[in-house]
Structures are given as structure tokens and as C-alpha cells.
């Protein structure tokens, strides 16, 4: 089996890709969905003053609003119909997953398998709609009260803007689900990935212009770029790191045949939570400060302005909360996606055991202990990757938000996951081809 897998992997080439019609359809569908997403980021909200919008964003692009604009692919800076992006869905996912751990009825649904997962997904959609309505209405009110941003303020503007923003979010939610089922990669991650990459050329050109003008030294700019390359290599290395637990299967007899004992491994990723903790942490920090940024830009004072100031991108409070949320969601999400008790029970049912450890409860305790230790390392890795670049960029005042830790992590991990899925489809296609050839040879004989 191993040699066959190695042979299939070695044969992955452009010829195999050319013959994989299903894979090509999935890739074209994904690219088409991204084109639709990009078009939506250029369709402005009705009734807006474009010049006033541009002036507003110039005042707030270095803060939290600039980070939100990065995730939305520039839709925030243009106040487009996709300005909310899928952030309400991410916030809803956080809430539902929290409820599934503390509310018995939600926890029971999670244990029902595929049927329960579909019900929880439906609850997530409903909650996404509620959060989108709340955020869209707040943004509409904030825009209307921000001086000359709105050409014709009034109830019609409030209603139309709210409906447009909510419709944009729900459409992106549907588009992401279509990418997941009919395209390549996770739809939610692909949409965020597309938004980040789309803004990179403009940010790079802006930074190079600052370097040409002497506002940023060449050495500092090269240092930040080298830092980005080092972070990317570090992310790739850690994302592939695993802690393998040895599993033994005893000899077994089936009918008159005796099968030898087998040895395998239970792989535990160093970063089990993946890119979810930084995204969740960013979305929670963006949620209460988006409206505050609008208020501050329009001359607002009081609590909203204070929140926007202290939670600005690169400020100490932002860094502390960001790190704390990343660590929390690392442990929280790992506990959700990996259940040591269930894994130990499955091993026991199939006769597997870990050398020197009693099957059942002791095995679950051992897996949980190992998982906790590597999650500490994973949380530290995510915190370092996300905070160190943020500190450097904030210190150097370089406007390439893509070089921030969260952006690099999303781009690299989404790319790795997508490439892995492409390889998986190619392997499946080549395996099907080998099976067909074997059947034809058998029929000829």
C-alpha cells in the first residue's frame, strides 16, 4: 500500500491534472466565485458621497477599520455592498460553538452526528442574520450621522442600507458554502483569502512609494520583508508538525485465516485549531470597534472614541486582548474538534491499544495530556506569529497589513489546505484510473 501511494504521488504532473476533469471544474467554479466576490466589493452602497467616503477612510485606515477593510477585500474602504463580509457569520459560529459546550440541548445536537451538525449550522445561519441586521443598522445610523457621507439622509437610507449590507453578508455566506461543496477548499477561508490577496498590490505600491519619498528607509523595508519570509517558512514548518502516538493492534483470526498484528500512529497536529483562533480573535475585536471608528472619524467623543483609541491596531491593549483571545480559542477550539474520550473508545472497539497504557479511560487521559501539552506549544506559536509582525509593522509604520501575523497565517494555511485538496483529487483520479485499467486487464484475460 505504501509503495502504491508513493507511486501515485510521484506521478502527479500536469498530464494528470489535464485529465482530471472534475478537479478542473472545481477550480474554475472557485475562481468564478472569487470573481463574483471581487465585483461585489466595487458596488457602492446607494446614496453615498464617494469623496466624503474616501476622506473618511484616509483618517481611519491605519486603525481597526483598516484591518476590517483587509478582510473584506477593500469593500469597507469603498463602503460597498460586501462591507460586512462574512464577519457576522464568524461571530455567530463562535457563539454557537460556545453554546454547544455549555448548553445541554446544543451539546446533545453536537453528539447526534451529521443530523445534529446540520441543525447547528442552521442555527448559525439564523444567528448570522440577526448579527448582520444589528451591525448593518448600526453602520447605517453611524453613516447618516457622520456629516456629509450620505447624500439624502432619512428612513429610506437607513432601511435600504441595512437590507443591502445584510443581503451582501448572506449572499457571501451562501457563496462560501457553494465553494466548499462544489469548489476547492473551505469557502469561508477562501473568501477571506481572496480579500487579503486582492489588497496586497495596492498596499505594496503605496509602501514602495513611501520608500521612494524617503518616509521609510530601505533597510527597514527589507527587514520587514525578510521577516515575512521567515514567518511564512515557520508557519509551513509548524503546520506540518505532528506528535504521533504509537497504536498497536493484536493478532486476530477471521475464519480460518490468522492476521498478524499491525502498528499504526495516531497523529496529533501541533496546531490542531488551525487558523480559526486568530480569525475568531480578530472578529471579536473588530465587532465592538467598527462603529466606534466611524464615530471617531466624524468627530464623535466619549466612550466610543475612547474604545476606538485604546483598541486601535498596534496599541498595547489591542495586543494584550489579541494574545489572550488567541490562546483561549486555541484550547477552546481544540476541545471542540478533538474528543480524547471518543478517540479512546474507538480504539478500544477496534482492538487498538497504546503500549504500556490500559485501554479506555487511561488511554483517554494519556491522549488528553499529550494534546494539552502540544496545544500549549501551538498557542504559543500562533501568538508569536500573530503578534511579532504586528509589533514590527506598528513600530515601523508600514501600511502593508498583509504582512501582519494574522494575514500571513490565513494566506499560508489556506494555500496549504487548498493545495492538499488538489493533490487529494489528483490522487483519487489516478487511483480510479488504475482501478479501471486493472478491471480491463482482468476482463481481457
Amino acid at each position: 500500500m505504501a509503495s502504491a501511494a508513493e507511486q501515485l504521488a510521484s506521478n502527479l504532473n500536469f498530464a494528470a491534472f489535464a485529465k482530471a476533469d472534475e478537479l478542473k471544474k472545481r477550480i474554475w467554479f472557485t475562481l468564478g466565485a472569487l470573481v463574483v466576490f471581487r465585483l461585489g466589493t466595487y458596488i457602492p452602497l446607494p446614496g453615498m458621497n464617494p469623496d466624503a467616503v474616501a476622506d473618511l477612510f484616509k483618517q481611519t485606515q491605519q486603525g481597526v477599520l483598516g484591518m476590517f477593510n483587509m478582510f473584506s477585500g477593500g469593500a469597507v474602504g469603498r463602503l460597498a455592498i460586501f462591507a460586512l463580509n462574512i464577519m457576522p457569520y464568524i461571530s455567530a459560529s463562535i457563539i454557537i460553538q460556545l453554546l454547544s459546550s455549555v448548553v445541554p440541548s446544543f451539546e446533545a445536537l453536537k453528539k447526534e452526528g451529521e443530523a445534529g451538525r446540520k441543525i447547528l449550522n442552521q442555527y448559525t445561519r439564523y444567528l448570522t442574520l440577526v448579527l448582520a441586521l444589528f451591525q448593518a443598522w448600526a453602520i447605517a445610523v453611524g453613516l447618516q450621522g457622520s456629516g456629509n457621507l450620505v447624500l439624502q439622509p432619512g428612513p429610506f437610507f437607513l432601511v435600504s442600507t441595512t437590507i443591502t449590507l445584510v443581503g451582501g453578508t448572506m449572499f457571501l455566506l451562501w457563496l462560501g458554502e457553494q465553494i466548499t461543496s462544489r469548489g476547492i477548499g473551505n469557502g469561508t477561508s477562501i473568501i477571506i483569502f481572496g480579500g487579503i490577496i486582492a489588497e496586497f498590490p495596492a498596499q505594496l505600491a503605496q509602501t514602495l512609494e513611501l520608500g521612494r519619498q524617503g518616509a521609510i528607509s530601505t533597510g527597514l523595508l527589507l527587514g520587514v520583508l525578510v521577516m515575512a519570509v521567515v514567518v511564512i517558512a515557520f508557519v509551513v514548518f509548524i503546520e506540518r508538525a505532528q506528535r504521533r502516538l504509537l497504536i498497536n493492534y493484536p493478532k486476530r483470526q477471521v475464519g480460518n485465516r490468522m492476521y498478524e498484528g499491525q502498528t499504526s500512529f495516531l497523529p496529533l497536529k501541533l496546531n490542531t485549531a488551525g487558523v480559526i483562533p486568530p480569525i475568531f480573535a480578530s472578529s471579536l475585536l473588530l465587532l465592538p470597534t467598527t462603529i466606534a471608528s466611524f464615530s471617531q472619524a466624524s468627530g464623535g467623543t466619549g466612550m466610543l472614541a475612547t474604545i476606538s483609541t485604546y483598541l486601535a491596531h498596534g496599541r498595547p491593549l489591542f495586543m494584550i486582548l489579541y494574545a489572550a483571545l488567541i490562546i483561549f480559542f486555541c484550547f477552546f477550539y481544540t476541545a471542540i474538534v478533538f474528543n480524547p474520550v471518543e478517540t479512546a473508545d474507538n480504539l478500544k472497539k477496534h482492538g487498538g491499544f497504546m503500549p504500556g497504557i490500559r485501554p479506555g479511560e487511561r488511554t483517554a487521559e494519556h491522549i488528553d495530556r499529550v494534546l494539552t501539552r502540544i496545544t500549549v506549544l501551538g498557542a504559543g506559536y500562533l501568538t508569536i506569529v500573530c503578534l511579532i509582525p504586528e509589533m514590527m509593522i506598528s513600530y515601523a509604520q508600514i501600511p502593508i497589513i498583509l504582512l501582519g501575523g494574522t494575514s500571513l497565517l490565513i494566506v499560508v494555511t489556506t494555500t496549504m489546505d487548498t493545495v492538499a485538496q488538489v493533490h487529494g483529487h489528483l490522487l483519487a483520479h489516478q487511483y480510479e484510473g488504475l482501478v479501471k485499467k486493472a478491471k480491463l486487464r482482468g476482463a481481457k484475460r
Side-chain angles (χ1 to χ4, degrees):
M1 291 296 292
S3 61
E6 292 173 0
Q7 180 181 1
L8 284 174
S10 64
N11 290 334
L12 289 178
N13 49 39
F14 289 106
F17 176 78
K19 296 178 182 178
D21 294 332
E22 177 65 22
L23 177 60
K24 287 190 290 185
K25 290 179 181 178
R26 287 179 171 271
I27 292 177
W28 281 115
F29 181 86
T30 303
L31 293 176
L34 288 176
V35 170
V36 173
F37 163 65
R38 291 301 300 157
L39 290 175
T41 61
Y42 284 92
I43 301 176
L45 291 171
M48 300 301 301
N49 184 343
D51 296 332
V53 169
D55 292 339
L56 167 68
F57 189 71
K58 285 180 181 178
Q59 301 174 38
T60 57
Q61 62 178 339
Q62 294 303 319
V64 177
L65 198 61
M67 190 174 180
F68 202 177
N69 186 59
M70 172 195 68
F71 285 128
S72 66
V76 171
R78 293 182 284 270
L79 283 180
I81 60 174
F82 289 163
L84 278 182
N85 204 260
I86 53 175
M87 291 305 163
Y89 171 73
I90 295 176
S91 301
S93 300
I94 297 172
I95 295 173
I96 294 298
Q97 290 182 356
L98 283 170
L99 292 177
S100 65
S101 299
V102 297
V103 178
S105 58
F106 282 79
E107 188 175 359
L109 285 174
K110 187 173 66 173
K111 295 179 179 180
E112 289 181 4
E114 184 66 20
R117 187 182 65 82
K118 289 182 178 179
I119 297 176
L120 289 177
N121 286 341
Q122 196 64 25
Y123 288 163
T124 305
R125 295 187 187 98
Y126 293 148
L127 186 56
T128 300
L129 178 61
V130 173
L131 293 178
L133 281 170
F134 171 76
Q135 293 181 44
W137 178 261
I139 289 176
V141 172
L143 290 174
Q144 184 169 268
S146 298
N148 60 344
L149 281 178
V150 181
L151 296 176
Q152 295 181 344
F156 179 77
F157 170 79
L158 294 176
V159 174
S160 62
T161 300
T162 301
I163 293 176
T164 303
L165 289 175
V166 172
T169 295
M170 300 310 293
F171 175 79
L172 286 182
L173 175 58
W174 174 83
L175 190 65
E177 292 177 348
Q178 295 303 307
I179 293 175
T180 302
S181 60
R182 301 173 60 184
I184 289 290
N186 179 278
T188 302
S189 300
I190 289 292
I191 289 176
I192 297 176
F193 168 85
I196 295 174
I197 291 298
E199 288 298 295
F200 180 66
Q203 291 185 13
L204 181 60
Q206 180 184 357
T207 303
L208 293 178
E209 179 63 21
L210 291 176
R212 188 185 68 82
Q213 296 175 357
I216 299 176
S217 65
T218 303
L220 183 59
L221 183 58
L222 290 177
V224 173
L225 293 176
V226 170
M227 177 271 300
V229 174
V230 171
V231 170
I232 290 174
F234 182 57
V235 169
V236 173
F237 175 76
I238 296 297
E239 290 298 324
R240 293 182 176 273
Q242 293 180 345
R243 171 71 162 89
R244 295 185 174 185
L245 300 180
L246 181 64
I247 306 295
N248 288 335
Y249 292 92
K251 294 181 180 180
R252 57 193 179 94
Q253 184 174 357
V254 179
N256 295 326
R257 295 191 60 180
M258 177 68 71
Y259 290 89
E260 292 292 330
Q262 296 179 347
T263 299
S264 64
F265 295 94
L266 175 65
L268 299 177
K269 288 188 63 176
L270 189 63
N271 178 28
T272 307
V275 73
I276 297 299
I279 293 180
F280 279 10
S282 300
S283 65
L284 283 183
L285 288 176
L286 290 172
L287 185 61
T289 54
T290 303
I291 309 302
S293 297
F294 280 108
S295 176
Q296 185 184 23
S298 60
T301 58
M303 184 177 296
L304 288 178
T306 303
I307 292 175
S308 181
T309 300
Y310 282 101
L311 286 182
H313 194 60
R315 296 297 296 271
L317 182 60
F318 175 86
M319 296 291 188
I320 293 172
L321 291 178
Y322 193 31
L325 288 172
I326 288 175
I327 294 172
F328 168 75
F329 281 118
C330 274
F331 284 93
F332 172 73
Y333 198 74
T334 299
I336 289 177
V337 300
F338 193 94
N339 189 338
V341 176
E342 183 179 345
T343 303
D345 290 341
N346 290 334
L347 288 175
K348 187 176 181 180
K349 290 177 182 178
H350 293 87
F353 65 94
M354 296 181 182
I357 301 175
R358 185 178 302 172
E361 184 178 350
R362 293 295 179 86
T363 299
E365 292 175 356
H366 177 69
I367 295 175
D368 183 64
R369 183 166 57 252
V370 174
L371 187 63
T372 301
R373 291 177 178 176
I374 64 175
T375 302
V376 171
L377 297 177
Y381 142 74
L382 285 179
T383 304
I384 291 173
V385 166
C386 291
L387 288 188
I388 298 300
E390 302 285 350
M391 293 177 181
M392 292 185 63
I393 293 174
S394 176
Y395 170 78
Q397 296 296 313
I398 295 180
I400 305 185
I401 304 180
L402 178 59
L403 296 183
T406 307
S407 309
L408 288 176
L409 190 66
I410 293 173
V411 170
V412 173
T413 54
T414 302
T415 302
M416 291 175 61
D417 292 341
T418 305
V419 170
Q421 286 200 23
V422 171
H423 276 266
H425 282 284
L426 286 176
L427 285 171
H429 175 75
Q430 289 198 336
Y431 181 76
E432 290 176 359
L434 292 176
V435 171
K436 290 180 180 179
K437 289 181 181 179
K439 289 183 178 180
L440 287 175
R441 291 171 184 166
K444 290 180 181 179
R445 292 177 182 175

